[in-house]
Amino acid sequence: MSLTGNTMNFSTDNDPAIKEFNTTKLLKNARKQAEDRNYKDFFICDVDSHHYETEALPEILQYMDDPVMRHLGLSAGNVGRAGLIPQAIGSQDMAGRVTRYAGRNKEVVPEKPHRDITLTRRWMDAMGVDMACLFPTPMLLLATHPQVEVEVAMARAYNRWLCERILEEDKRIVSMVYLPMNEPHEAEKMIDEFAEKKGVVGFLSTGYLKRPVHDSVNMRIYAKLEEHGMPLGFHAAYHWADTSLAQLNKFISVHALGFSFCNIIHMTNWVLNGMPERFPKLNTMWIESGLAWVPFLMQRLDNEYMMRTSDAPLLKKKPSDYMREMFYSSQPIELVDNKEALEVTFKMMNAESQLLYSSDYPHWDMDLPSTIHDIPFLDETAKRNILGGNAQKLFNLDPVMSEWKLEARKQG
Amino acid sequence: MPEKLLCASSDLSDTTVKICEVDGVEIGIIRHNGDVVAYKNVCPHQGGPVCEGLRMPRVCVEFDDQQRALQQNFDESEMHFVCPWHGWEFKMETGEAVGDPKIRLKRYKVTERDGEVYVEI
Ligand code: FES
């Protein structure tokens, strides 16, 4: 049998776009935007950004209590995460077209500070972001791990590592730390262990959960978050194995629907089971589902609620009235030929006070601050709120401006 | 429109985009199908360095006579710039966005003379 050689390799490691990869260089046009738009006068907080925690897996595993599980992770080698973190089928990098995926591990950084801090600061400084809420990447699917004890152990080790190695070291980086919702009593312990740690501004529920968010076993989690005054984030994820998405044959399809669908399910359960009435002081933020799903769901739920109030007896107002009091991250903001729809969406969700800018960097569909700054119908106050002010309030932040902005301000 | 010297003809290749800066504007320039094409290195999407990504052929689908998809293929007669920030693709020949031809890269007129390449800017 003779095989034809694969001559069609359009994204080799030798391509200059990948070989000489550097975040600051890749984002030089972002830095120009930041300077042209005078971001030095804006406090910008990015509420959803990422790093690739599995690249630091051997370090993270040092924080894991269970020696057998730790051994399992280390035995798979430095990049091995088989057995600990579910791997997703998909092509986030579009077969190499989004070059930062292939380039990332070639980027040269100084020995100190931690590599993840340097890489994070590089994109923050390029985009004009002053503070960033940092989340993991592969662990967004950790909740789908069939062994709940692995989820708990990984979550605890990761949270400890993140607090000690990253958040302690850089006051511009904060996080809503991982909450293993599939094991509620462990989630409660996690809140006690991490709520007061430096840089922890909330807790994060990720993607597809084994039980619905309104399950009674979760109530003490929400009560505890309320006690600590900590917001709860729902970070969307796609999961191709989800039966409702299983007929979709392309990554674009499962990504476009899955990331909204995931939060549509949680939000529907959250509102119709009266969670905002049961935990009125608990703030929630809905992350990475875009914005278009919000008016869709408000209209669908309100319409049915008015006919079937008996199905949702805990509600004292329309579903959309509750949704309007919640918080939303902005990315991936739908911006193609939809100006009128976007304006209506902003109005319907009270974006001026409820929307928080997010980049999702370094993921393929990241958004720059200009996606908010350049929206023509927003006034100056709305822009400032969405780009940083709303995050400052929700997270109770002490704003830390980036060094280059402080320097630029001095120079006038 | 004034002409500015961009680079030497010998700097151009048909495999690597050369990035030159003229009056504070970055321009990506490459030989393509016997022509020289030059575009502003700023993507109409969110401003990425569109000329500095990969160059990829159009992806097409081959059908049998009953419209059943047989396989996908690359059509190398239509090469694209792929913006490295989010993957928007633009036809190298015209600068049109593959997803919507109304959106285009800013193109510059270039001429080669006496071993030098000039751009109208
Ligand atoms: S900036 Fe070019 S694809 Fe987004």
Side-chain angles (χ1 to χ4, degrees):
Chain A
M1 189 172 73
S2 76
L3 295 174
T4 330
N6 181 9
T7 52
M8 298 273 194
N9 196 346
F10 294 102
S11 60
T12 70
D13 281 3
N14 284 328
D15 193 290
I18 295 167
K19 196 166 81 183
E20 295 145 20
F21 187 82
N22 172 279
T23 300
T24 307
K25 179 168 177 278
L26 177 78
L27 296 177
K28 62 180 188 263
N29 292 2
R31 178 59 177 259
K32 190 162 180 332
Q33 285 183 20
E35 287 164 3
D36 291 348
R37 287 164 176 73
N38 253 329
Y39 290 165
K40 70 177 191 317
D41 296 329
F42 278 80
F43 168 63
I44 300 183
C45 179
D46 174 353
V47 301
D48 175 26
S49 65
H50 294 271
H51 66 138
Y52 287 84
E53 72 286 0
T54 38
E55 290 171 357
L57 191 62
E59 279 176 28
I60 293 171
L61 290 173
Q62 302 308 323
Y63 293 83
M64 186 177 266
D65 292 327
D66 184 324
V68 177
M69 235 182 262
R70 188 185 328 131
H71 174 257
L72 170 75
L74 289 170
S75 66
N78 284 358
V79 291
R81 57 180 198 257
L84 292 184
I85 303 178
Q87 307 208 21
I89 291 181
S91 170
Q92 303 273 356
D93 68 330
M94 278 182 262
R97 289 171 177 85
V98 180
T99 53
R100 56 189 173 275
Y101 286 81
R104 190 180 63 246
N105 59 17
K106 294 176 187 63
E107 182 152 357
V108 179
V109 297
E111 210 170 299
K112 278 191 178 155
H114 194 284
R115 178 178 176 84
D116 287 18
I117 294 180
T118 301
L119 295 181
T120 303
R121 276 191 198 162
R122 280 182 184 165
W123 67 254
M124 288 171 73
D125 285 341
M127 288 191 200
V129 167
D130 299 293
M131 295 183 78
C133 189
L134 193 67
F135 295 131
T137 296
M139 277 178 55
L140 293 177
L141 283 180
L142 187 59
T144 63
H145 199 295
Q147 296 167 282
V148 80
E149 65 277 17
V150 173
E151 181 189 358
V152 171
M154 263 317 297
R156 184 167 282 120
Y158 170 78
N159 288 346
R160 287 176 178 166
W161 170 85
L162 183 75
C163 288
E164 195 174 312
R165 303 298 300 275
I166 309 292
L167 305 186
E168 266 296 324
E169 298 291 317
D170 194 324
K171 48 188 191 314
R172 287 172 59 197
I173 304 176
V174 296
S175 186
M176 302 172 90
V177 294
Y178 191 103
L179 204 54
M181 296 284 290
N182 291 320
E183 196 66 296
H185 68 278
E186 290 289 349
E188 288 168 46
K189 282 199 242 165
M190 216 77 87
I191 298 170
D192 287 332
E193 182 175 345
F194 294 101
E196 304 304 324
K197 296 267 190 228
K198 184 179 163 212
V200 173
V201 295
F203 286 82
L204 192 71
S205 161
T206 60
Y208 284 79
L209 303 171
K210 295 192 171 64
R211 271 186 298 269
V213 292
H214 61 276
D215 194 295
S216 288
V217 294
N218 290 338
M219 296 307 122
R220 284 162 48 140
I221 301 177
Y222 305 141
K224 208 173 252 296
L225 288 169
E226 226 182 15
E227 263 167 43
H228 284 277
M230 283 268 147
L232 173 63
F234 289 96
H235 194 301
Y238 75 92
H239 187 34
W240 218 323
D242 178 46
T243 47
S244 58
L245 302 174
Q247 290 194 1
L248 300 172
N249 70 332
K250 292 189 180 284
F251 181 81
I252 181 178
S253 323
V254 79
H255 189 276
L257 299 195
F259 264 82
S260 298
F261 192 60
C262 166
N263 271 341
I264 286 174
I265 300 286
H266 293 329
M267 176 68 93
T268 302
N269 280 333
W270 189 262
V271 172
L272 295 184
N273 288 287
M275 306 307 294
E277 287 294 342
R278 294 196 240 179
F279 301 97
K281 289 203 251 47
L282 174 58
N283 284 320
T284 53
M285 176 162 71
W286 302 82
I287 304 170
E288 207 182 335
S289 297
L291 302 187
W293 70 283
V294 177
F296 161 78
L297 195 62
M298 283 178 165
Q299 293 172 76
R300 294 291 298 164
L301 294 185
D302 282 2
N303 195 53
E304 304 233 347
Y305 173 69
M306 294 306 288
M307 295 186 273
R308 308 182 65 93
T309 46
S310 59
D311 265 0
L314 288 174
L315 273 59
K316 299 203 173 107
K317 50 192 178 186
K318 295 191 296 299
S320 66
D321 295 327
Y322 293 103
M323 288 178 68
R324 231 181 312 280
E325 291 168 351
M326 301 178 197
F327 296 89
Y328 301 86
S329 73
S330 62
Q331 180 275 346
I333 185 166
E334 297 88 354
L335 281 178
V336 177
D337 293 339
N338 69 337
K339 279 201 189 83
E340 284 167 31
L342 192 70
E343 190 163 0
V344 170
T345 303
F346 270 56
K347 251 190 219 147
M348 286 182 74
M349 68 193 301
N350 261 349
E352 181 161 346
S353 59
Q354 308 308 118
L355 184 63
L356 290 77
Y357 162 70
S358 60
S359 75
D360 195 38
Y361 196 82
H363 295 167
W364 65 277
D365 51 349
M366 58 95 174
D367 281 338
L368 265 61
S370 57
T371 52
I372 299 296
H373 182 275
D374 296 358
I375 291 177
F377 57 80
L378 290 182
D379 63 22
E380 171 93 13
T381 312
K383 288 180 190 180
R384 284 184 186 280
N385 287 349
I386 297 168
L387 283 170
N390 293 340
Q392 190 181 334
K393 266 191 224 144
L394 178 64
F395 293 153
N396 206 8
L397 291 178
D398 242 344
V400 186
M401 296 297 284
S402 47
E403 290 87 2
W404 78 261
K405 287 191 186 177
L406 294 174
E407 199 47 46
R409 279 183 186 181
K410 263 195 238 153
Q411 320 236 321
Chain B
M1 232 186 262
E3 250 190 6
K4 295 256 165 108
L5 177 65
L6 205 56
C7 59
S9 286
S10 56
D11 288 343
L12 296 187
S13 83
D14 53 7
T15 52
T16 308
V17 181
K18 170 136 183 95
I19 306 291
C20 303
E21 196 176 318
V22 183
D23 297 343
V25 179
E26 275 192 357
I27 296 173
I29 178 163
I30 188 167
R31 289 191 192 281
H32 179 63
N33 284 348
D35 207 0
V36 179
V37 292
Y39 294 103
K40 186 172 180 180
N41 191 23
V42 177
C43 179
H45 177 219
Q46 291 188 26
V50 61
C51 303
E52 289 178 65
L54 303 183
R55 281 153 318 284
M56 300 274 301
R58 184 170 80 96
V59 172
C60 53
V61 181
E62 294 169 355
F63 296 103
D64 67 7
D65 56 5
Q66 293 177 38
Q67 291 295 305
R68 290 180 299 205
L70 293 173
Q71 66 165 12
Q72 300 180 92
N73 211 337
F74 289 116
D75 174 3
E76 288 185 73
S77 69
E78 185 185 310
M79 292 298 292
H80 300 160
F81 288 109
V82 184
C83 180
W85 277 10
H86 312 90
W88 277 37
E89 300 197 19
F90 300 88
K91 295 180 186 172
M92 287 178 69
E93 196 143 335
T94 60
E96 286 170 339
V98 175
D100 181 352
K102 288 196 301 295
I103 303 173
R104 287 169 168 270
L105 300 180
K106 178 164 174 43
R107 184 165 187 166
Y108 296 96
K109 199 164 167 230
V110 282
T111 35
E112 268 186 288
R113 214 169 43 238
D114 308 326
E116 312 269 33
V117 183
Y118 296 87
V119 64
E120 280 186 16
I121 192 165

